[in-house]
Amino acid sequence: MTTEISGLRRRFSPQDSIFYYMETDQAPMTIGSIAVFEGHVPFRRFVQNIESKLHQIPRYVQKAVETPFNFTRPTWEFDPDFDIRRHINRVTLPPPGTDQQLTELAERLFRGRLDRSKPLWDMHFVEGLDGGRTGLISRVHHAMVDGVGGVELLMVTLDPTPDTRAPTRILHEPAPAQASAASQLIDGVADIASEAVDQGASVLRWLTDVFTGDFASTRVGMRAINTTLKYLNDPGKGLPFNRDFSGGRKIAHVEIPFAEVREIRRAFGGTLNDVVLAVLGGALAQYSECHGQPAEGATARVMTPVNVRAETERGMLGNRVSMLVVEVPLGASGPAERLHKINERTKSLKEDHVADGVAVIGQTLASLPVPALTAMANTVAMSNGLGNIVCTNVPGPMIPLYTVGHRMLAHYPIMPIAWNMGIGCAVMSYDQHLFVTFVADAAAAPDVAVLARFMDQAYLDLRTAAGVPPAEEIPAPVPDKHTSILAV
């Protein structure tokens, strides 16, 4: 039995499996992005360039294979029929080729599921954009990668400089023959046994902690349970977009200069993510008001994913995230007060190590059989009172990236939405900007563009309160050898 392929886990993790099984036609678990490149990117060279890098991302040539009778979680197996031409599609926009047309194309592409008969990703290479630009709409299943893993993929498929050599054709070895049903069952039994041993070791470590008086990990887990139960036992009030889904999609964008956000953080304290949540809170307050829901005294429960990858897990793909619920005040007296309250809340959650505790709880899923995981995924897909909206903020490269010599001008992240949270907010930093995308169900929030406009206004209000000038008036920081290419 082989559980690792090129450093990648072969068997789905429990978290990967939940994203795989919770998917519905109305709530596909597809993440991705809309990118815009300067100039006309040569299509053939682009495809050759991506193909030449596939050996660095073997997951892109593997497909999901379910075990017979769903005996255990699926595995990633090499696709014997892999053909990159089935994954990169060429599209031409009709004149005039506006950014809005590109967004509308993405709205159509992000409804419905990816084809599970092949590796769970594709790209749509979009020509005909005005100004001679080129678009790229990328899609990948959430079971394959999370936000941080998506950045790692971005750094592989694109280049840090415009200087590019002709792609070297890599001769791929023929894909191994897919295992027989009997072999898959045997492998499944072996993996279950191996995981049971790991779970047993975890229990023994916990018992050792108890008997030796070291209750640190137990206390962390209990704090996480108590914090989560608080929200489950006291369902929050729904926002206007917490409704059933139709399956259609609406997308709206916001772009914010990173230098300004850095100065706002410097003026008020807290973290970059606190600033984002404060701006989002201001936008949600205005959106609620215009839908007849008073913001005074109201809060939004914003679910914020937290990366829990160890340094040794970089490049492993899959999902390694925990989740925090941050109560964002909508009726604050002003943007500065809202940011202050959010900072207090996130600081408390961090001091209590709630994200670590939630991650520990998540690890116990490894002992659950597939029917239990499926039932859990179906439960997650039902209506909820735990959170109103997910806001994910992923640090991206702060340097420009290129494909076959053409600079990427913009990169808007796309996230899946589910669980009656009819709008999701995806934030990613790239090349000295924060790119914000609101993804909405077309029935739950057909006017999501209004929320994006409110986000713009809430940001300007916070910037004014902080006394921060426009980005062009802010001196550029002097980089040193310790400066990261990722936003922090």
Side-chain angles (χ1 to χ4, degrees):
M1 179 194 66
T2 303
T3 57
E4 300 290 330
I5 301 175
S6 301
L8 298 178
R9 183 185 178 94
R10 179 182 171 217
R11 177 98 35 207
F12 277 41
S13 73
Q15 196 171 56
D16 298 341
S17 299
I18 288 177
F19 287 125
Y20 185 78
Y21 288 121
M22 76 181 289
E23 183 172 54
T24 67
D25 291 334
Q26 291 72 36
M29 290 290 103
T30 310
I31 67 175
S33 65
I34 304 172
V36 177
F37 293 88
E38 65 179 358
H40 177 72
V41 178
F43 177 70
R44 287 190 62 187
R45 285 188 63 202
F46 174 80
V47 174
Q48 290 170 352
N49 187 52
I50 296 297
E51 188 172 28
S52 72
K53 297 180 176 184
L54 288 179
H55 67 286
Q56 300 180 59
I57 39 176
R59 188 70 86 221
Y60 263 36
V61 295
Q62 295 172 334
K63 62 181 182 179
V65 176
E66 298 179 15
T67 56
F69 315 112
N70 263 350
F71 180 72
T72 187
R73 300 189 301 274
T75 57
W76 296 108
E77 307 291 348
F78 284 103
D79 181 5
D81 301 316
F82 179 81
D83 184 342
I84 197 167
R85 291 172 295 183
R86 299 175 65 203
H87 292 267
I88 301 182
N89 307 284
R90 194 174 190 177
V91 181
T92 300
L93 293 177
T98 63
D99 289 342
Q100 181 59 33
Q101 287 175 267
L102 180 64
T103 299
E104 290 169 357
L105 174 60
E107 290 171 348
R108 294 193 294 273
L109 290 172
F110 276 89
R111 64 179 301 167
R113 312 186 199 197
L114 290 168
D115 182 357
R116 292 191 176 187
S117 69
K118 61 183 181 179
L120 295 172
W121 69 275
D122 64 26
M123 296 176 176
H124 285 74
F125 183 93
V126 185
E127 298 173 302
L129 271 176
D130 57 17
R133 300 167 300 155
T134 305
L136 185 69
I137 300 173
S138 303
R139 305 188 302 171
V140 60
H141 200 287
H142 206 337
M144 185 185 294
V145 67
D146 58 17
V148 173
V151 172
E152 293 175 352
L153 284 176
L154 190 70
M155 298 298 289
V156 171
T157 55
L158 299 181
D159 302 303
T161 70
D163 300 324
T164 179
R165 299 177 181 177
T168 301
R169 183 171 178 79
I170 304 296
L171 297 178
H172 300 282
E173 295 182 2
Q178 187 169 314
S180 65
S183 296
Q184 291 179 48
L185 285 172
I186 293 171
D187 282 355
V189 170
D191 283 344
I192 290 173
S194 175
E195 290 172 354
V197 171
D198 291 340
Q199 288 293 313
S202 296
V203 171
L204 287 175
R205 285 194 296 271
W206 177 76
L207 290 173
T208 300
D209 290 343
V210 170
F211 287 114
T212 59
D214 182 5
F215 298 101
S217 61
T218 303
R219 285 195 297 269
V220 166
M222 291 306 299
R223 278 197 298 265
I225 292 172
N226 290 334
T227 300
T228 304
L229 286 178
K230 169 190 171 184
Y231 296 119
L232 291 174
N233 293 330
D234 181 23
K237 182 178 180 181
L239 293 178
F241 49 82
N242 294 138
R243 301 168 51 191
D244 291 338
F245 286 6
S246 66
R249 289 293 175 265
K250 289 289 184 180
I251 295 173
H253 309 295
V254 178
E255 188 175 334
I256 301 172
F258 188 82
E260 295 177 3
V261 178
R262 185 180 60 241
E263 293 303 310
I264 293 171
R265 180 182 62 180
R266 190 169 294 167
F268 286 131
T271 66
L272 184 148
N273 199 54
D274 293 340
V275 174
V276 170
L277 291 178
V279 177
L280 177 61
L284 291 173
Q286 294 183 69
Y287 187 83
S288 295
E289 292 276 6
C290 80
H291 280 268
Q293 289 191 12
E296 185 64 33
T299 61
R301 291 181 176 178
V302 181
M303 301 180 71
T304 59
V306 178
N307 176 37
V308 292
R309 267 182 175 79
E311 187 64 26
T312 55
E313 294 176 301
R314 292 188 64 181
M316 295 289 286
L317 300 187
N319 290 270
R320 289 289 284 120
V321 294
S322 183
M323 189 74 72
L324 293 180
V325 179
V326 181
E327 293 177 300
V328 174
L330 301 187
S333 61
E337 181 193 5
R338 180 179 291 110
L339 177 54
H340 176 68
K341 288 184 176 180
I342 290 170
N343 178 236
E344 285 185 335
R345 176 59 179 159
T346 57
K347 185 178 180 182
S348 173
L349 292 171
K350 291 173 184 175
E351 288 176 348
D352 286 342
H353 301 283
V354 172
D356 294 333
V358 173
V360 169
I361 295 170
Q363 289 172 5
T364 63
L365 295 174
S367 62
L368 295 176
V370 166
L373 282 174
T374 305
M376 181 177 296
N378 291 333
T379 300
V380 169
M382 296 168 61
S383 61
N384 85 93
L386 179 62
N388 299 115
I389 185 172
V390 173
C391 180
T392 177
N393 187 356
V394 179
M398 296 305 285
I399 59 172
L401 297 178
Y402 302 81
T403 185
V404 292
H406 292 257
R407 181 171 179 163
M408 185 167 71
L409 304 174
H411 185 264
Y412 291 99
I414 304 289
M415 63 176 291
I417 52 175
W419 209 11
N420 276 41
M421 291 183 282
I423 297 179
C425 179
V427 184
M428 181 176 167
S429 46
Y430 166 67
D431 193 17
Q432 305 305 316
H433 287 80
L434 287 185
F435 290 92
V436 182
T437 309
F438 288 107
V439 180
D441 182 84
D447 60 347
V448 69
V450 173
L451 180 59
R453 290 199 294 271
F454 287 152
M455 184 85 167
D456 265 329
Q457 184 58 54
Y459 173 71
L460 292 176
D461 291 344
L462 182 59
R463 192 185 75 176
T464 299
V468 172
E472 57 267 21
E473 300 177 19
I474 300 174
V478 178
D480 58 33
K481 64 181 180 180
H482 302 294
T483 300
S484 172
I485 64 169
L486 296 181
V488 294

